[in-house]
């Protein structure tokens, strides 16, 4: 994973991980996972949909996310 990518503020509930703080309060990636994103809902299906709806709106260099989290297989 590329390091040093600026991680913008994302709205909603998340825990930052794999980030370091640089000058002017910029958050830079240190490689690997950079955020744990979560939402509440009436059930797991609704919470999952809310998270993925929010993530689908994020656009920045190097951004990607798994699409199989919380799937019941």
């Amino acid at each position: 994973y590329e390091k040093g990518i600026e991680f913008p503020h994302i709205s909603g509930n998340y825990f930052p991980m794999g980030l370091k703080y640089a000058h002017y309060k910029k958050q830079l990636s240190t490689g690997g996972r950079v955020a744990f994103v979560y939402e509440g809902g009436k059930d797991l299906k609704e919470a999952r949909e809310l998270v993925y709806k929010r993530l689908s709106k994020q656009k920045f260099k190097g951004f990607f996310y798994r699409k199989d989290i919380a799937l019941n297989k």
Side-chain angles (χ1 to χ4, degrees), residues 46-73:
E46 181 180 73
R48 183 178 188 278
E49 289 170 355
L50 290 170
V51 166
Y52 284 113
K53 181 178 180 180
R54 186 161 43 104
L55 289 174
S56 71
K57 296 177 184 177
Q58 300 300 315
K59 307 284 185 232
F60 54 93
K61 181 182 176 188
F63 179 72
F64 67 94
Y65 54 93
R66 287 178 49 184
K67 296 175 179 75
D68 62 339
I69 304 295
L71 279 178
N72 293 326
K73 292 183 178 186

Side-chain angles (χ1 to χ4, degrees), residues 13-37:
N13 302 316
Y14 74 99
F15 291 107
M17 310 179 309
L19 297 172
K20 68 178 181 178
Y21 291 91
H23 299 292
Y24 307 107
K25 299 183 182 179
K26 288 184 180 179
Q27 299 179 102
L28 303 176
S29 67
T30 59
R33 293 183 177 115
V34 296
F36 172 83
V37 180

Side-chain angles (χ1 to χ4, degrees), residues 2-14:
E2 191 174 344
K3 297 178 181 180
I5 296 174
E6 185 174 350
F7 184 78
H9 173 75
I10 59 175
S11 63
N13 302 316
Y14 74 99

